[in-house]
Amino acid sequence: MSENELSTIRIRGACEHNLQHISLDIPHNQLVVVTGVSGSGKSSLAFDIIAREGQRRFLETLSSFSRQFMGKISRPRVETIEGLSPVITISQKTVGSSIRSTVGTMSDLYDMLRLLYARIGESAGSFRLSRSLFSFNTPVGACPACEGLGLEEKISLEKLIGDPSKSLRQGVLTPTLPNGYIMYSQVTLAVLNEVCRAHDFNIDIPWDQLDEEQQNVVLYGSARLKVPFGKHPLESRLRWTGITAKPREEGYYRGLVTIMTEILRRDRNENILRYAESVPCSSCHGKRLNSNALSVTLNGMTIDLLSGMEITNLKRWLTGQSWDPSKVAIAEPIVQRMVRQIGLLEQLGTGHLSLSRPSQSLSGGESQRIRLVNQVTSALSNVLYVFDEPSIGMRIR
């Protein structure tokens, strides 16, 4: 192989998708941009030819036993590729990102911050500090109410109530079926009317003409009279052949929201989730951690306050601290790593993000650039990185 071939990726006869026998040389150790109009084959060249073949060749170096767990990568439609390095692809895709993933967990910065708190955090309590205490993904640190999600689900009145000018009989409540039965109510419309009449209104009055107390009877129940449960009236049940109509269970009407909330907590099925919304946890107020973790401070700051800062401001805070002389040797190495990592993120236009920002809320470009920083600091060499439009969503200041 000539010197020129050693310094390039040599592609001959690429025919994948829209590519029609394309041949080209791509230099090593340079930033190379593949550009062109939509449908010209940019992704086919970068991902379906170069990336796929690089990954396929790497898998071939593994034992047959290991390969059976890796899946099979098909050979791309290309005559020859020479001078190809091991390939790592970094795409924009955030699909499948865990609800527990944040900018901090993605970039490893939150792990460093947890270590800093575990090593030199100040606690008024007698409990032992550990990194696990500051993790919302472990039982030790997570808020017990929301299990570290920072959110709780509740039935949304906005999703439950449709056109407020309609009455209950007309279907103001969105779970109303075509036959008039209100799903989850556990009572017929006639029985619900009895409950309403006990509170001096009926199911034919428009919803927006009911006062709050009357609306709450429908939504949260009433203890004024006992009623029979079931969605079929007695007359219908008596007409069923081969079935003996049994006396109905009776009790107080419990209210639509009350019943739906119980179902939501017990069984997060697709139907009930249509009427639910996520709100900040009423216990930790979205901080994800339990009270023990949130009581520990670092120079007067709790970990949720630091992780809620824009990382540019977090770097400024870290570099502006004076550490206790007995803690300098422990703090400085961790702080230096964090500052270096944040500096790279700033260079890539993500300094406006906070460590607590959920990864699911990131743009494809933001997510990709955070993953890029992890690769840059991995100390690997002679690796070919393939990116999918890494500048998308970049903020210029």
Side-chain angles (χ1 to χ4, degrees), residues 201-266:
F201 70 102
N202 60 64
I203 62 173
D204 292 302
I205 300 175
W207 184 262
D208 56 9
Q209 293 182 23
L210 301 178
D211 60 36
E212 183 178 358
E213 183 179 343
Q214 292 170 333
Q215 291 177 352
N216 285 344
V217 168
V218 178
L219 298 174
Y220 302 105
S222 167
R224 192 158 289 186
L225 78 162
K226 289 188 175 182
V227 295
F229 294 135
K231 63 181 180 180
H232 298 288
L234 179 62
E235 295 79 8
S236 296
R237 294 162 65 229
L238 289 174
R239 286 198 297 266
W240 295 344
T241 57
I243 297 177
T244 302
K246 295 181 180 180
R248 284 181 177 173
E249 178 186 350
E250 289 193 345
Y252 295 113
Y253 169 67
R254 300 171 58 223
L256 199 62
V257 173
T258 306
I259 296 166
M260 294 177 75
T261 298
E262 290 180 0
I263 295 172
L264 179 63
R265 290 173 179 169
R266 182 178 67 247

Side-chain angles (χ1 to χ4, degrees), residues 358-382:
S359 62
Q360 292 180 323
S361 70
L362 299 175
S363 70
E366 288 170 336
S367 177
Q368 186 175 199
R369 292 194 294 277
I370 292 171
R371 293 198 295 270
L372 169 60
V373 169
N374 290 341
Q375 295 296 332
V376 169
T377 57
S378 68
L380 288 173
S381 59
N382 297 321

Side-chain angles (χ1 to χ4, degrees), residues 32-75:
V32 178
V33 178
V34 181
T35 185
V37 299
S38 178
S40 59
K42 303 184 297 296
S43 295
S44 297
L45 175 63
F47 288 92
D48 298 321
I49 297 289
I50 298 174
R52 190 202 303 175
E53 180 63 6
Q55 292 171 343
R56 188 188 69 82
R57 291 183 185 182
F58 170 75
L59 290 180
E60 284 188 343
T61 67
L62 303 178
S63 67
S64 57
F65 177 79
S66 299
R67 288 201 302 272
Q68 67 179 325
F69 302 106
M70 301 288 187
K72 186 176 181 180
I73 298 179
S74 61
R75 185 187 297 272

